[in-house]
Amino acid sequence: MSAVRKVRGDVAARAWKERGKKPPFLLFNPRSLLLFHRRRRLRPCRGQALQTLHLDIFDFLVSMTSSLRANTELSQCFASSVRPYDQKAYVTQQYPCKGTKNCFSKRFSLLRMAAGKVAARRTRNTSLISSMSKNNYGESADMADSLTYKDAGVDIDAGSELVKRIAKMAPGIGGFGGLFPLGDSYLVAGTDGVGTKLKLAFETGIHETIGIDLVAMSVNDIVTSGAKPLFFLDYFATSHLDVDLAEKVIKGIVDGCQQSDCVLLGGETAEMPDFYADGEYDLSGFAVGVVKKDSVIDGKNIVPGDVLIGLLSSGVHSNGFSLVRRVLSRSGLSLKDQLPGEAITLGEALMAPTVIYVKQVLDFISKGGVKGIAHITGGGFTDNIPRVFPKGLGAVIYKDSWEVPSVFKWIQEAGQIEDAEMRRTFNMGIGMVLVVSPEASLRILGDGNGAYTAYKIGEVAVGEGVRYG
């Protein structure tokens, strides 16, 4: 190990000497290097001298990576994790233009004007949502600047791989909820959080509804098996307990439990000094429900020709916010700016609480004909709908069968996101999909009476996966 460090030190010394500067000792120790940069990112430099030093170190590390090509892992670590410090908040940071590519301004109208100048660039084929695949001038988004969920730090494929590995250790997992046999019934359990939507809660100061999101993510999962939620448990963690703030959050959890007709049975409040930033907290929740064994909705009876019914979402719900925040940063807008085309702010649109579908779905189930249910969360249509199908079957989604909410149109245009990426990240306005018999679909679509909004969005077909037509 000491020999490796000596080689690293010699390489670093030569690179630093070429710059005519004396190398700091900490750069020869990889552990000290990582510690230094963690501290540097947490504590913004206040003086010009420190700012210059940090930029010098960054420039050195960039040049150093080329000298360490033999060590691919270390080189990638330097290249990806070390970058100049930016004191701006993440919601207002603007990304630099790439060559002659578009740079989005602070107003959406100017964004559209800039996008209109790319008419000569090649366009992509129209897919599921034609209004989303093109901007307001009819041109396709520039693929070179297109953002992805992975760019924002979330790798869906890695998550799927982990589930596969866990399944080898705990066979039977993989559904939206876990089933535990108890007499002639199953207890159905689910757990989830609200992800980086919390970052927007901290930024906007909207804490009263984040608890609804927390409950929704779990109860919407377990109701896909036909289970009626019985009780909910929460976990609230923070560095320093702000009682007034915590009360707002818990009030939202109580509201969510009331909407899903279950009991807030208990929870845990953890105060962990130095673990979270001041004023921030984390949430997770756990729901348990019950369903008779002969009433479980498991998708086994789904056949070609069955109908897909979509229930409208309130917006982004609680998934995809790492990408949303990256888009927001690129757009130059703030959460206080108006959502283009709507009379609400971006913050209000993005913080809209997740719809709790429990009572609505249980009502549909009680009338018969419901064969499978998919909660559209992380993975969007692409990954969630196929989870309810028997082997060999898939879905055909009807193009333009529902109106995509404005917030998704803004996200796609501001982030220049590909259609396929949008469909695999966001719910696109449909938060729950029911697979029902043709007869049941007629009843569901005809008996709403304003109590809910449902759309016929597709059908079951031979061939696995999700297709759009």
Side-chain angles (χ1 to χ4, degrees):
M1 184 64 170
S2 59
V4 173
R5 288 181 177 173
K6 184 178 185 304
V7 171
R8 289 173 178 162
D10 291 341
V11 172
R14 285 196 300 271
W16 199 268
K17 186 175 181 180
E18 291 175 359
R19 294 168 51 83
K21 297 181 181 290
K22 183 179 179 180
F25 171 76
L26 63 88
L27 290 178
F28 300 116
N29 187 326
R31 186 166 297 181
S32 297
L33 172 66
L34 294 176
L35 178 62
F36 171 79
H37 280 286
R38 285 172 184 160
R39 289 175 176 171
R40 178 171 66 82
R41 291 171 69 113
L42 288 173
R43 296 179 175 86
C45 52
R46 300 296 185 216
Q48 184 61 40
L50 285 176
Q51 179 69 39
T52 302
L53 172 62
H54 291 164
L55 292 176
D56 285 344
I57 292 173
F58 171 73
D59 292 338
F60 158 72
L61 290 171
V62 172
S63 63
M64 187 175 175
T65 57
S66 61
S67 302
L68 295 175
R69 293 185 186 278
N71 190 329
T72 303
E73 181 178 354
L74 183 60
S75 178
Q76 290 177 342
C77 175
F78 285 155
S80 64
S81 66
V82 184
R83 51 181 62 86
Y85 187 83
D86 186 347
Q87 293 186 7
K88 295 181 179 180
Y90 68 87
V91 294
T92 58
Q93 178 184 356
Q94 296 191 42
Y95 284 77
C97 294
K98 299 180 181 179
T100 60
K101 307 300 182 185
N102 293 336
C103 241
F104 291 98
S105 69
K106 292 187 176 181
R107 299 308 306 171
F108 192 69
S109 58
L110 296 182
L111 180 155
R112 292 181 298 186
M113 292 172 63
K117 296 179 180 180
V118 298
R121 295 174 182 166
R122 66 184 180 85
T123 59
R124 293 174 283 117
N125 292 332
T126 303
S127 55
L128 166 64
I129 306 164
S130 59
S131 62
M132 304 271 311
S133 64
K134 297 182 178 182
N135 60 33
N136 290 344
Y137 288 88
E139 292 89 26
S140 298
D142 183 2
M143 295 173 63
D145 285 336
S146 178
L147 286 176
T148 67
Y149 208 7
K150 193 170 184 178
D151 291 337
V154 179
D155 189 340
I156 297 176
D157 293 326
S160 298
E161 175 60 26
L162 178 59
V163 171
K164 292 178 182 178
R165 295 187 186 188
I166 295 174
K168 295 178 182 179
M169 298 180 280
I173 71 166
F176 290 98
L179 277 64
F180 183 84
L182 185 67
D184 63 351
S185 300
Y186 283 111
L187 291 180
V188 184
T191 181
D192 211 332
V194 293
T196 58
K197 187 173 186 176
L198 284 173
K199 286 287 189 181
L200 271 65
F202 306 149
E203 187 72 19
T204 61
I206 300 174
H207 302 281
E208 295 82 358
T209 58
I210 200 73
I212 298 175
D213 290 303
L214 183 66
V215 175
M217 294 305 291
S218 290
V219 297
N220 284 344
D221 271 352
I222 67 174
V223 80
T224 62
S225 298
K228 180 192 181 302
L230 297 175
F231 58 84
F232 186 84
L233 299 166
D234 73 272
Y235 175 81
F236 178 95
T238 186
S239 284
H240 175 71
L241 183 59
D242 181 331
V243 176
D244 292 335
L245 175 61
E247 182 183 21
K248 292 179 181 179
V249 175
I250 302 303
K251 184 179 182 300
I253 294 174
V254 172
D255 190 0
C257 288
Q258 291 174 344
Q259 290 185 36
S260 53
D261 198 21
C262 71
V263 176
L264 178 59
L265 195 62
E268 169 70 5
T269 301
E271 192 169 21
M272 301 184 288
D274 304 323
F275 199 80
Y276 299 96
D278 289 343
E280 297 191 357
Y281 55 87
D282 199 7
L283 292 172
S284 60
F286 317 85
V288 175
V290 64
V291 61
K292 293 290 185 181
K293 288 183 177 179
D294 58 3
S295 300
V296 172
I297 306 296
D298 55 16
K300 291 181 179 179
N301 297 323
I302 295 175
V303 296
D306 282 340
V307 177
L308 271 60
I309 300 294
L311 307 181
L312 289 186
S313 70
S314 60
V316 183
H317 280 183
S318 301
N319 292 96
F321 277 90
S322 294
L323 182 53
V324 167
R325 291 186 299 112
R326 182 64 62 89
V327 170
L328 189 64
S329 177
R330 168 183 279 197
S331 73
L333 297 178
S334 77
L335 293 170
K336 295 181 180 179
D337 286 316
Q338 184 175 338
L339 172 64
E342 300 293 339
I344 58 174
T345 66
L346 279 167
E348 291 168 338
L350 293 171
M351 287 299 296
T354 305
V355 175
I356 293 178
Y357 297 99
V358 171
K359 293 180 180 179
Q360 186 176 339
V361 169
L362 290 178
D363 180 56
F364 292 152
I365 292 173
S366 68
K367 297 175 181 178
V370 178
K371 300 182 177 183
I373 307 173
H375 184 199
I376 309 303
T377 56
F381 278 25
T382 305
D383 289 353
N384 285 296
I385 295 178
R387 294 169 67 180
V388 306
F389 290 141
K391 187 176 181 179
L393 297 183
V396 175
I397 303 298
Y398 301 150
K399 175 181 174 182
D400 300 329
S401 55
W402 76 95
E403 176 65 26
V404 176
S406 299
V407 66
F408 295 111
K409 296 178 181 179
W410 173 78
I411 290 170
Q412 181 168 30
E413 189 166 358
Q416 299 190 28
I417 303 172
E418 295 287 319
D419 288 335
E421 190 69 19
M422 290 292 293
R423 294 192 296 262
R424 199 187 181 199
T425 305
F426 301 109
N427 64 61
M428 305 307 295
I430 299 294
M432 190 76 83
V433 173
L434 287 73
V435 184
V436 304
S437 65
E439 296 76 20
S441 71
L442 296 176
R443 182 181 65 252
I444 291 172
L445 295 172
D447 293 346
N449 296 324
Y452 55 83
T453 304
Y455 292 92
K456 181 178 180 179
I457 65 167
E459 63 183 81
V460 179
V462 176
E464 297 181 353
V466 179
R467 303 183 295 278
Y468 303 88

